Amino acid sequence: MRLGGGEWSLLLAIGGVLAAGARLAAEAPHTLTTPDLQLSLLALPGYTALSLGRMLAAYLLSLAFTLVYGYLAAYIPPARQILLPLLDVLQSVPILSFMPVVLLGLSALLPASLAAELAAIVLIFTSQVWNLTFAWYQSLTTIGQELREASTIFRFNRWLRLKWLELPSAAIPLIWNSMMSWAGGFFFLMAAERYSVGSRNFQLPGLGSFLQAAASAGDLPMLVVGIAALGLLVVVLDQLLWRPLLVWAERFKVEMVATAVPPTSWFYDWLQGSALWRRCGRWAGAGNERLDSWLGKYLAPLDPPDGAAPGCLPFLAGARVVIVALVAYGAFLAFQLLQAVTPEEWTAIGLALLATLLRVTAALGIALAWTIPVGVAIGTNPRLARWLQPVVQSLASLPATALFPALLLLFLGWPGGLNVAAVMLMLLGTQWYLLFNVIAGAAAIPQDLQQTAALLHLSRLARWRSLILPSLFPAIVTGSITASGGAWNASVVAEYTEFGGHHFAVLGIGATLAQATAAGNYALLLAATLALVATVVAINRLLWRRLYTLAAEKFRME
Amino acid sequence: MAQSPPLLELIAVAQRYSNRQRTFVAVENINFSLHEGEFVAILGPSGCGKSTLLRIVAGLQKPSEGRVLYRGHPLSGVNPYATIVFQTFALFPWFSVLENVALALKARGVPPTVRLARTMELLDRVGLDGFESAYPRELSGGMRQKVGFARAMALNPELLCLDEPFSALDVLSAETLRSELVELWTGGKIPTKAILLVTHHIEEAVFLADRIVVMDKGPGRIVADLSIPLSHPRVRHAPAFTALVDQVYSLLAGQTKAEPVELGSAPGEPGVTRGLPQVSIGHLTGLLEHLTRLSTPHADIYRLPEQLGVNSDAMLRLVEAAELLGFVTVQNGDVALTALGDTFAAAGILGRKGIFAVRICRLPLIRWLLTLLHASENHCLTWDVVHIALELEFPPGEAQHQLDTIVDWGRYAEVLAYDDSRALITLESEGLLHLPPAEKPS
């Protein structure tokens, strides 16, 4: 498996976009005036609300993008050939590489404060959107043949098909991925709200910038208060939004059997009992009815798919020409910009990639070393699971970046302290997903196999080798794919940081990216981004995808 | 029948699929009409394209050739007068029973009050009152299919298409539901003008339909059109009923022909490549042992499914396999053990394997693979290579099934081995013995 022509042209296209952004950035105003931050308790609620608003806006943008992108990829085969590999590449572009392009590009066009606000939203968006889009696409393509035929034969129009078939089929994966997306958004909130590009600094009033400001001012009490506020926000969202949604979404389970332990939510139960909520439900029902009949007047029932509609073929051919032209122009721009990168810089990028690779591997190794035994213990022991699962879940929901300054305080005194802290941050951001996968995998080991192992008097080692590890293999692979992707992405915030007025950096591709951005060296930024994307995509192809196929074929439990 | 114009007419309909190298015919030269008041069953082995035909009638699929007329008008898009009851129910798991039925009405813009009344009446009619608010996962298979029927009848369709609606149910539920369908239909309790049932279950077709259209595969085509002149309710053990069942079995089981005709040709050679029927060795031996225990030299094929507890489709495949291997002969719906079949059934484990190896190595498809393996390095080939070669002969899904069966039979006969982790098919020494001498390179 090598990178195909499609992937190479995508890399070129991304290079082109970044290069074009850098060109725009050169025309951006030189001073971005942004309001000062107040490091006070009174300002904190307002900042929290602003950050929440930004996250929400970015999330809504992600949802809209997801619905459209996934729909096009699922229903238009020629579009799918472009959109799917593009998504694969886009999700491995580090979020901070978008930063200068988005921020400075926008500030060339819009007033500074609005540009900064929009840029923050777009950046949070890039940390939330990709997994959602994959989940939606996957749900759309795995809807059963007969359900699709039923929706055609009963003459659903596009709206009804979306509402009755597609969204319900995707509800559970969309909710789980939304939770992951919000965690991802919180992880990069600090990076999105306060940033410097070249000589230009900008910061938005918000919880993320509050935390950063407190860290760089060395104001420990305010740092703790900020982290507490963030933690509280995460817990409140979990209790009032995600848990109730999960309970509500139980009805969208496609399996025709009831689950053993359905999720519970006190808030959902309380809502169900409230008269006001029920009245809202009735109004919504009436509105829903009116919407359906109004849309029914304009939308024709869908006919069965009949290959590619001939009407859109010339359009697609045109689109392809435009895309090829854009890719060519982008490649030209990127090539021009890349000529400024010296051979020494390329060597440095290679070394930095290697260093980050080592760090990612270390983080993954540590995560595997502790999550497998703990996950198996929790997964195979329902009593342990009952009180440990909530603890683990709340630990996992704390955004690791907020803890980073505290980690730094702890490790900076040590030899190689920043290295340890960087690995710790990668670990904090990615180990939970691995743990949840292992727990789920361990819980799914069939009882009869466990009993057989006990009857055969297998030693502990033999039991792990012949039963537990093979059964867990698919879960470990799935978890590791996400974990390593997350670790690469986290490298950008883990390897370069500002604390107490000082900059700290270690050798690594994340640090290279951050330093190039801070110095306004767009050529280096572009080179490092392309190198990172190519590396991550290559690792996915050469390692993870093979392991995934192996897991799906050989180690599947039927 | 001829006096009224047909409700539905298919004229020279064909459906082809093509992959990159070849075009496969799903059904071909289908001429058939359905009149008002008729209950017609389309019966055939799996893979004969009967479900394709149903989807063409419902307008879910556009045929590659030929015309579909509904009340004399060509059909374009989804047939507005037809609905389908699906094999696996196709209920929306997130909607209650009530909502599942009501959504068919809502999609056509029926206002809420009418919708509710109509839905309740439908649920009442199929005997589901009291279960309105239940979710499909709470119901048994039989009750789920009742929801499927209620939903299909919600719009008073003229044509009700049933796509093997009883095959996913347990025997008792299926039996109950069949009788209830007959009651609704003959009692005129539903405004449906005609019913088209697709099934591979022979007794079911004879029990329900006024007419049976018998299809065969390779390529899918109509081989017979029988009318069932029995009045409802029908009694399964009545002589007239069993005679009809016997007749359909003999149509579908065919007659044993001369060996070259039976075996067909190898892939790549001119002529039709005979696919292997998908049966497990255990079932095949079970059938042969059963036949040795019978007191008569001939057995009625139609009695075997009941005696052995398998469905008619599986039985026909077993008989086909036994016939292909020369263990039985088939004549007029009767099956008789050959001397070879008798020897096989009497032999021990190793003896059976030996006989089986000799017999399967006569099949052109297996001989082709053995020759191919012998000519290749280390006497082995990957699964994918053989699969791709077979896709030149069979439709994509069928190529997979064929290879599964070849490997299964070959492993039992010890003529070839298969290593799953490397997806490697290897020639065994036993297989080498059976290679045809002419093709053995010196």
Side-chain angles (χ1 to χ4, degrees), chain A residues 3-72:
Chain A
L3 296 189
E7 270 97 27
W8 285 116
S9 60
L10 284 171
L11 271 181
L12 287 178
I14 286 177
V17 170
L18 291 179
R23 180 162 285 201
L24 258 181
E27 288 157 28
H30 270 274
T31 48
L32 291 178
T33 47
T34 41
D36 279 339
L37 273 176
Q38 292 171 295
L39 281 181
S40 79
L41 267 181
L42 281 179
L44 198 55
Y47 288 162
T48 309
L50 280 173
S51 288
L52 183 63
R54 242 164 249 141
M55 293 276 294
L56 192 65
Y59 176 68
L60 293 178
L61 195 62
S62 302
L63 265 189
F65 177 90
T66 289
L67 291 183
V68 174
Y69 198 100
Y71 216 84
L72 293 179

Side-chain angles (χ1 to χ4, degrees), chain B residues 20 28 34 53 90 99 116 143 146 154 188 192 239-240 252 314 326 342 364 430:
Chain B
R20 257 165 237 155
E28 170 177 89
L34 180 65
L53 213 54
E99 290 165 325
L116 186 66
M143 286 166 90
K146 283 185 178 186
T192 306
L252 279 172
D342 216 15
E430 180 75 16

Side-chain angles (χ1 to χ4, degrees), chain A residues 357-378:
Chain A
L357 179 63
L358 284 179
R359 237 168 256 132
V360 169
T361 314
L364 194 59
I366 297 171
L368 283 173
W370 83 264
T371 55
I372 293 178
V374 173
V376 169
I378 296 179

Side-chain angles (χ1 to χ4, degrees), chain A residues 146-147 149-150 152-156 160 164-165 168-169 250-256 289 292 303-304 554, chain B residues 55 58-60 77-78 83 86-88 90-95 103-104 106-108 112 115 137 144 151:
Chain A
E146 286 205 334
L147 276 182
E149 285 180 343
T152 310
I153 208 84
F154 293 112
R155 311 306 281 139
F156 291 7
L160 293 179
W164 288 348
L165 179 64
S169 316
E250 273 294 289
R251 70 188 64 192
F252 299 116
K253 283 248 162 82
V254 179
E255 301 97 69
M256 285 286 184
E289 187 72 42
D292 287 348
D303 271 328
K554 193 171 171 193
Chain B
R55 276 158 180 75
L60 285 175
V78 177
T83 53
F86 293 91
Q87 182 175 9
T88 55
L91 300 180
F92 295 82
W94 36 84
F95 287 140
L103 60 81
K106 192 173 173 183
R108 305 269 175 127
R115 213 158 65 206
R137 68 173 68 93
R144 285 181 202 168
R151 182 177 64 176

